[in-house]
Amino acid sequence: MTEEIKQFITYLEDEKKMSKNTIISYRRDLMQMAEYLETQGICELEKVTTTSLNSYILYQEKEGKAATTISRSVASMKAFFYYVYMQKKTTDNPAEPLKAPRIERKMPDILTTEEVHRLLRQPSGTTAKELRDRAMLELMYATGLRVSELITLPVQDINMSVGFLTCRDEKRERVVPFGKSVKNVLARYLDGGRSVLLKGEESPLLFVNCNGKPMSRQGFWKILKYYGEQAKLPIAITPHTLRHSFAAHLLNSGADIHVVQAMMGHAGIASTQMYAALGKKTEEPKEQKTIEKTDG
């Protein structure tokens, strides 16, 4: 079975062009499955049954694996056995009937509009660092960018004259507009902050760290945590807190849900619908609720 797993991974790399992290996850999930099946005396593909795969799922549950981990494992098994079935290496697909465990998670925390404005006012100085920090916070809240998108955003993908940015990933790109206030803070950063941080060097990135190098996720996280503490916010915020707040506030102000979906880069509308309920809570005390996880 190990050989077939290697062939499947090669297929994902060469044909599907999947990301490195996704490949690593598939390989790990499938090798752990194969190891378990071998302990049950199942070493050949044709001996694998739906019952044996369900037995492996139960084993993971008894081992205390998180529902998200088991769900990902089920997805890996489904993809692998569909592949070998289509390659005619098996006469049936034992993974087809498998069901992933239901995943529940807390409703994400969001800030009220007043809390967001208090946060954005924290980097109020004129040093290069504060100009950059203000521009990063304003742009993230105004566009709903993911932190990975923010720290890798090239200067050439910002259109200052019209007021929009182009966000690209492996599968698609989206255009996200931003308003005059964001344009102003970006202009101040570009005119008086970015060149100071670069120290005579060049970089294609819009935002760099204090050494003129690409900023890390952890670096931005620390910046956000610092200003959140300075603003005396009632919750510990993360980069995703601003993204969640952006979507909820837009929907609460009457924005079309399909427009918000496009701006967020959600593949399905279900991920965006969650924020419609959150938007109604933006000015109310925060409560902990649970929702069924969506695909976004």
Side-chain angles (χ1 to χ4, degrees):
M1 196 178 310
T2 302
E3 184 58 35
E4 286 82 5
I5 292 174
K6 288 180 180 178
Q7 292 172 8
F8 175 63
I9 296 300
T10 299
Y11 163 75
L12 296 181
E13 292 172 331
D14 297 343
E15 300 294 330
K16 304 296 286 185
K17 306 295 183 184
M18 288 189 170
S19 68
K20 182 179 179 181
N21 288 340
T22 302
I23 296 294
I24 290 173
S25 295
Y26 271 111
R27 182 184 290 113
R28 180 177 58 244
D29 291 343
L30 294 173
M31 291 306 296
Q32 289 175 351
M33 173 203 72
E35 289 172 8
Y36 169 81
L37 291 176
E38 285 179 12
T39 65
Q40 307 301 305
I42 303 171
C43 301
E44 299 173 2
L45 281 175
E46 283 294 348
K47 291 185 178 180
V48 179
T49 64
T50 301
T51 300
S52 59
L53 294 180
N54 273 320
S55 174
Y56 175 55
I57 294 172
L58 289 174
Y59 166 77
Q60 289 179 298
E61 291 175 348
K62 290 178 181 178
E63 288 292 299
K65 301 291 185 182
T68 51
T69 300
I70 299 173
S71 181
R72 191 195 64 216
S73 176
V74 170
S76 297
M77 290 189 288
K78 280 180 170 289
F80 171 65
F81 283 102
Y82 177 76
Y83 166 78
V84 294
Y85 174 68
M86 295 304 293
Q87 294 291 313
K88 302 189 184 305
K89 296 178 183 292
T90 58
T91 56
D92 64 356
N93 179 358
E96 187 175 2
L98 297 182
K99 294 186 181 300
R102 176 172 173 161
I103 301 172
E104 292 190 344
R105 67 180 183 191
K106 291 179 181 177
M107 286 282 254
D109 284 319
I110 60 172
L111 302 173
T112 66
T113 52
E114 189 280 328
E115 289 166 351
V116 170
H117 293 151
R118 200 161 76 231
L119 172 69
L120 298 182
R121 288 196 300 267
Q122 294 312 305
S124 57
T126 58
T127 65
K129 180 182 183 304
E130 286 195 287
L131 289 173
R132 179 206 63 192
D133 294 351
R134 178 67 178 267
M136 293 184 83
L137 295 180
E138 291 265 9
L139 187 63
M140 190 172 215
Y141 174 64
T143 60
L145 290 180
R146 300 175 178 89
V147 62
S148 57
E149 295 169 336
L150 182 75
I151 63 177
T152 59
L153 185 64
V155 176
Q156 68 177 21
D157 285 350
I158 294 281
N159 188 317
M160 290 291 287
S161 60
V162 179
F164 70 82
L165 62 84
T166 303
C167 192
R168 312 172 195 274
D169 61 29
E170 294 177 353
K171 296 181 179 179
R172 56 186 176 271
E173 66 179 48
R174 66 187 192 276
V175 174
V176 187
F178 52 82
K180 185 177 180 180
S181 62
V182 178
K183 190 185 299 186
N184 289 338
V185 296
L186 276 175
R188 289 198 293 272
Y189 164 64
L190 289 169
D191 292 341
R194 186 170 178 272
S195 59
V196 175
L197 296 175
L198 284 172
K199 298 178 175 63
E201 300 294 325
E202 293 185 359
S203 172
L205 301 179
L206 176 62
F207 297 112
V208 295
N209 65 21
C210 291
N211 296 316
K213 304 299 181 184
M215 181 174 290
S216 66
R217 295 170 62 95
Q218 293 80 4
F220 179 73
W221 192 297
K222 290 178 181 178
I223 291 169
L224 188 60
K225 180 181 178 182
Y226 170 76
Y227 289 121
E229 292 172 349
Q230 293 296 108
K232 295 180 170 54
L233 298 180
I235 60 173
I237 61 173
T238 70
H240 247 57
T241 307
L242 279 182
R243 178 170 160 85
H244 294 320
S245 301
F246 158 79
H249 294 171
L250 270 183
L251 290 170
N252 195 43
S253 64
D256 183 270
I257 192 168
H258 295 286
V259 173
V260 178
Q261 176 191 358
M263 294 176 72
M264 294 287 282
H266 287 155
I269 196 68
S271 298
T272 318
Q273 287 171 332
M274 168 184 68
Y275 297 108
L278 278 177
K280 297 173 183 177
K281 300 290 185 181
T282 53
E283 308 305 332
E284 300 175 10
K286 298 173 179 62
E287 301 175 0
Q288 287 191 343
K289 296 183 180 293
T290 59
I291 59 170
E292 185 170 329
K293 186 176 179 182
T294 62
D295 62 352

